[in-house]
C-alpha cells in the first residue's frame, strides 16, 4: 500500500510548501521544524494501521478502558538528512527504540553511482514493526539496499517506509523490490535528474538542514 499525504487538502500542505520554497527554506530552523511536523502527521496516519489492545486505566474518579498500540515500532533513520523527519515520528512514538543507518551514493568516474552502506546500528528487529524514515526517496536504491540488509538479518513483522518527497521512479523501485513494504509519503514528483535529484523536489535536504558538506 501507499499513502500520499498531499492527496488530501490539509494544513500539511502549508508545511510542505514552506519546505519547497527556495527563500523560506534558507531558515534552517524552520526547514527542520517543517520536516518534524510532517513526520508527526505521517506518524499519526500510520498509527491507524497498527494493532491495538484494550487496557483499563484508573483515573481519580473511576476506570477508563482505552485501546492502545500492542506494539511499539522501531524507528530507523538514514543519516543525516532524515534526522528532523525522524524526530517527528519520535514525538508520537515516544517509547520507541531507534536504528541509525549511514548510507551514501559513491559516484564512479563515469558519473554512475552505487549505494554504500557503511554502518547500521539497530536494536533487535525480530518480530518488530519497523519504520524507516528518509526525507527524500529519489531512485529508491538506498532504501531498498538498507531494507534488504535488515530483512536478511532480522524477521521484521511489518516494514514501513516514510519519506517527505518521493519520485515516481523511486516508488516503483521500492514496490518492485520490497512488495510487502507500506509507503508513507507527503508528495510524489515525476522527474529525477541524471544526478538522481528529484524535480521539483526541494534541493539537498541534508545541506539545507545542517549546512553544505565540505
Amino acid at each position: 500500500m501507499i499513502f500520499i499525504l498531499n492527496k488530501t487538502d490539509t494544513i500539511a500542505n502549508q508545511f510542505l510548501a514552506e519546505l519547497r520554497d527556495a527563500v523560506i527554506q534558507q531558515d534552517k530552523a524552520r526547514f527542520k521544524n517543517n520536516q518534524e511536523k510532517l513526520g508527526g502527521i505521517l506518524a499519526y496516519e500510520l498509527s491507524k494501521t497498527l494493532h491495538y489492545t484494550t487496557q483499563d486505566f484508573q483515573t481519580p474518579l473511576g476506570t477508563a478502558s482505552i485501546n492502545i498500540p500492542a506494539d511499539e515500532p522501531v524507528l530507523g533513520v538514514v543519516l543525516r538528512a532524515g534526522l528532523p523527519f525522524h524526530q517527528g515520528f519520535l514525538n508520537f512514538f515516544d517509547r520507541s527504540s531507534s536504528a541509525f543507518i549511514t548510507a551514501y551514493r559513491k559516484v564512479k568516474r563515469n558519473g554512475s553511482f552505487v549505494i554504500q552502506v557503511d554502518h547500521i546500528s539497530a536494536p533487535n528487529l525480530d518480530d518488530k514493526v519497523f519504520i524507516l524514515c528518509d526525507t527524500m526517496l529519489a531512485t529508491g536504491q538506498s532504501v531498498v539496499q538498507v531494507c534488504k540488509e535488515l530483512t536478511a538479518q532480522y524477521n521484521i513483522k511489518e516494514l514501513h517506509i516514510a519519506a517527505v518527497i518521493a519520485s515516481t521512479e523511486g516508488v516503483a523501485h521500492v514496490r518492485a523490490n520490497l512488495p510487502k513494504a507500506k509507503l508513507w509519503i507527503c508528495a510524489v514528483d515525476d522527474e529525477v535528474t541524471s544526478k538522481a535529484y528529484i524535480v521539483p523536489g526541494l534541493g539537498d535536504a541534508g545541506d539545507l538542514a545542517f549546512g553544505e558538506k565540505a
Side-chain angles (χ1 to χ4, degrees), residues 7 17 50 53 76 80 105 122 130 145-147 159 169 180:
K7 291 290 186 181
L50 299 178
T53 58
R80 62 182 170 148
R105 298 170 184 169
F130 180 64
Q145 185 167 329
V146 168
C147 289
L159 176 60
E169 176 186 327
K180 294 183 179 180

Side-chain angles (χ1 to χ4, degrees), residues 69-172:
D71 302 300
E72 287 296 339
V74 176
L75 307 177
V77 58
V78 179
L79 302 176
R80 62 182 170 148
L83 284 169
F85 187 50
H86 169 256
Q87 183 60 51
F89 277 81
L90 275 174
N91 291 344
F92 278 70
F93 298 117
D94 55 1
R95 296 183 178 186
S96 291
S97 299
S98 290
F100 298 92
I101 299 106
T102 302
Y104 65 95
R105 298 170 184 169
K106 190 173 183 179
V107 182
K108 299 179 180 180
R109 290 184 178 180
N110 63 4
S112 64
F113 64 87
V114 294
I115 302 301
Q116 182 76 34
V117 179
D118 275 356
H119 180 73
I120 297 177
S121 177
N124 188 343
L125 301 179
D126 286 333
D127 201 33
K128 296 290 187 181
V129 175
F130 180 64
I131 305 169
L132 180 62
C133 304
D134 197 4
T135 303
M136 309 297 284
L137 179 63
T139 65
Q141 292 182 41
S142 59
V143 164
V144 166
Q145 185 167 329
V146 168
C147 289
K148 284 194 169 182
E149 290 194 23
L150 289 172
T151 53
Q153 186 174 355
Y154 301 102
N155 181 28
I156 295 173
K157 181 165 66 174
E158 287 183 22
L159 176 60
H160 300 262
I161 296 167
V164 176
I165 298 177
S167 72
T168 53
E169 176 186 327
V171 169

Side-chain angles (χ1 to χ4, degrees), residues 196-212:
Y197 280 94
I198 301 172
V199 179
L202 52 75
D204 189 308
D207 286 359
L208 288 166
F210 302 109
E212 293 186 7

Side-chain angles (χ1 to χ4, degrees), residues 2-7 13 16-17 19-21 25 135-140 163-173 183-193 196-205:
I2 179 170
F3 174 87
I4 302 176
L5 183 61
N6 74 340
K7 291 290 186 181
N13 285 346
L16 183 60
L19 276 179
R20 291 191 191 262
D21 190 296
Q25 66 182 202
T135 303
M136 309 297 284
L137 179 63
T139 65
V164 176
I165 298 177
S167 72
T168 53
E169 176 186 327
V171 169
H173 186 71
L183 280 73
W184 303 85
I185 299 167
C186 297
V188 178
D189 293 346
D190 288 333
E191 185 181 347
V192 178
T193 70
Y197 280 94
I198 301 172
V199 179
L202 52 75
D204 189 308

